Amino acid sequence: MPDARDDDQRRVPPTADDASPGESSASFRHRLTGARDDLEHRVDRARDQLDATNERIKKRTGRDLFAAIGVGVLAGAAVVASLLFVKWAFAILAIAIAALGVFELARALQARGRRIDIVPQLVGAAIIISAAYWFPSAVHWAAVFSTLAIIIVWRVVAQMTALDGRVYASIFADIVVGCFVQLYVPLLASSALVLLRQDNGEWWVLSFILVVVVADTGAYASGLAFGSHKMAPRISPGKTWEGFAGAAIISIVTGALAGAFLLDIPWWGGALFGAALVASATMGDLGESMIKRDLGIKDMSSWLPGHGGVLDRLDSILPSAVVALAMYQLLLPTIATG
C-alpha cells in the first residue's frame, strides 16, 4: 500500500532552489526589467517635476533657472581659476568681458537713434583695462582721459563728414552718451584690476565677486519666496524689499566670513565690506534697469542663456568693483592703526 507521505511530497510545489537554470534566469531577467522600468518611471517623474518648477519660475521671473545655473557655474569656474592661478589671465578675461559689455550697450543705444562709434569704444575699453593692470595709476588715468578725447574727436569728425543735417543738440547728446559708455563699463571694470594689483588683491577681488553673487542669489531666492512689497516698481518691478533684506543678511554674513578667512581682517571689517557691497550691488542693478527701461528693452542681449546679456550680469559687479577698492583703501589702514 503506498505511503501517504509520498503523496504529500509529490503535492509540494517546487521552490526557487528546485527550479531549473532556465527558469531562474528568466525570473532574474523579469525582476531586473521591473527594477529598470521602475527607475525610469521615477526619473521621468522627477524630470517632469523639475521642468514644471522651472517653467513656473521662468513664467514669474522670465529666466530659465537651469540654463542660468549652468552658465553661472562655468563663468564662476573661469573667474576663480584665473584669479588664483594666472592673474594676468583674469585681466585678459576682463578685457574680453568689458568689450562685450561695451558692444552690447553701444548697439542698444544705436537702436534708439544714438550715433555711437563702435571702433573707438572697443579700443578704448581694451586700453583702459590694460592700463589699470599693467601700468601705474597715472597711466591708467591718462588712458581714461585720452580715450574720452578720442571718442569726442571721432564723433565730431564723423559728423562733419556725414553732412546729414543732424542738429547740434543731437550731436552733443551723442558725444555725452559715447563718453558715458566708457565711464560706465571700462572705467568701473578697471577698478577691479587696480584692486587685483594690490597685496593679496586676488583675494579681495574674489571676495567682492563672491559677496555680489551671493547678494544677487539671496535677493532672487528670498524675493521669489517672500517678495510682496515692491522696492522700485517703476524701475524694476521684480525687485522687492523682502529680496533686499535676504540679500543684505546673506551678504553681511558672507562678508564677515570672507574677512576672517580670506582677507585677514576682523569679522566686523568683513561685515562692513559685505554691507557696502550689497548696497552698491542693489544700486547697480537698479541703475542698469533704468537704462534698459529708457531704451525700451528687457535684456541687453540674449548671449547668455538664462541671464540675458553680459551687462545684465555685470550690472551689480561694475559699481561694486569701485566700492571694493574703496573699502580696501579704507579698511586696511584703519585696522593696521587699530
Side-chain angles (χ1 to χ4, degrees):
M1 183 175 183
D3 193 344
R5 288 176 297 179
D6 294 337
D7 294 337
D8 293 338
Q9 290 174 356
R10 285 194 294 270
R11 286 195 295 269
V12 174
T15 63
D17 294 335
D18 297 331
S20 65
E23 292 175 345
S24 299
S25 176
S27 177
F28 175 75
R29 288 197 301 270
H30 178 72
R31 290 195 299 268
L32 183 62
T33 301
R36 184 189 63 190
D37 293 341
D38 182 65
L39 178 61
E40 291 177 351
H41 175 70
R42 291 176 182 273
V43 170
D44 291 339
R45 187 170 60 181
R47 185 185 297 113
D48 291 339
Q49 291 175 347
L50 288 174
D51 290 341
T53 301
N54 189 38
E55 285 300 320
R56 287 196 298 270
I57 294 175
K58 188 176 181 179
K59 183 177 180 181
R60 181 171 178 179
T61 64
R63 301 294 184 194
D64 188 325
L65 180 61
F66 298 144
I69 291 174
V71 172
V73 169
L74 291 176
V79 168
V80 172
S82 60
L83 276 174
L84 299 185
F85 301 108
V86 190
K87 290 169 63 173
W88 61 264
F90 180 81
I92 299 296
L93 184 63
I95 293 173
I97 292 174
L100 289 174
V102 165
F103 183 77
E104 280 184 347
L105 184 54
R107 291 297 298 271
L109 291 167
Q110 286 176 341
R112 294 290 292 177
R114 297 267 67 93
R115 303 286 180 86
I116 307 297
D117 304 297
I118 298 293
V119 172
Q121 292 286 345
L122 295 179
V123 173
I127 291 174
I128 290 174
I129 295 179
S130 299
Y133 181 72
W134 280 290
F135 295 94
S137 177
V139 176
H140 176 215
W141 285 109
V144 172
F145 291 116
S146 298
T147 298
L148 295 179
I150 292 172
I151 288 174
I152 294 171
V153 173
W154 191 296
R155 178 86 302 266
V156 170
V157 172
Q159 188 58 50
M160 291 173 61
T161 58
L163 300 176
D164 56 1
R166 196 169 178 83
V167 299
Y168 292 126
S170 297
I171 299 172
F172 181 74
D174 293 339
I175 292 173
V176 171
V177 172
C179 291
F180 167 75
V181 172
Q182 290 296 308
L183 297 176
Y184 178 50
V185 183
L187 179 59
L188 295 185
S190 67
S191 299
L193 279 300
V194 174
L195 180 59
L196 182 62
R197 292 172 48 196
Q198 312 304 315
D199 292 336
N200 297 320
E202 63 273 21
W203 295 108
W204 282 83
V205 173
L206 179 62
S207 296
F208 103 74
I209 293 177
L210 175 64
V211 171
V212 172
V213 170
V214 164
D216 284 345
T217 305
Y220 179 84
S222 55
L224 192 64
F226 310 108
S228 59
H229 298 84
K230 303 295 183 182
M231 175 182 286
R234 297 185 62 182
I235 299 174
S236 181
K239 190 168 290 297
T240 63
W241 285 107
E242 290 82 2
F244 176 74
I249 292 171
I250 195 170
S251 297
I252 292 172
V253 172
T254 303
L257 294 174
F261 294 103
L262 297 180
L263 306 180
D264 197 24
I265 61 176
W267 67 268
W268 57 265
L272 289 176
F273 183 68
L277 287 174
V278 72
S280 64
T282 303
M283 295 305 296
D285 192 355
L286 290 174
E288 201 232 4
S289 295
M290 289 180 63
I291 295 173
K292 291 190 295 186
R293 184 166 290 273
D294 184 64
L295 294 174
I297 58 177
K298 183 180 183 296
D299 294 322
M300 284 294 177
S301 73
S302 58
W303 291 350
L304 301 179
H307 292 273
V310 172
L311 272 184
D312 296 312
R313 291 300 86 206
L314 293 181
D315 56 0
S316 301
I317 292 177
L318 289 174
S320 297
V322 181
V323 172
L325 179 59
M327 293 298 291
Y328 174 86
Q329 301 290 350
L330 176 66
L331 285 174
L332 285 190
T334 302
I335 293 170
T337 56

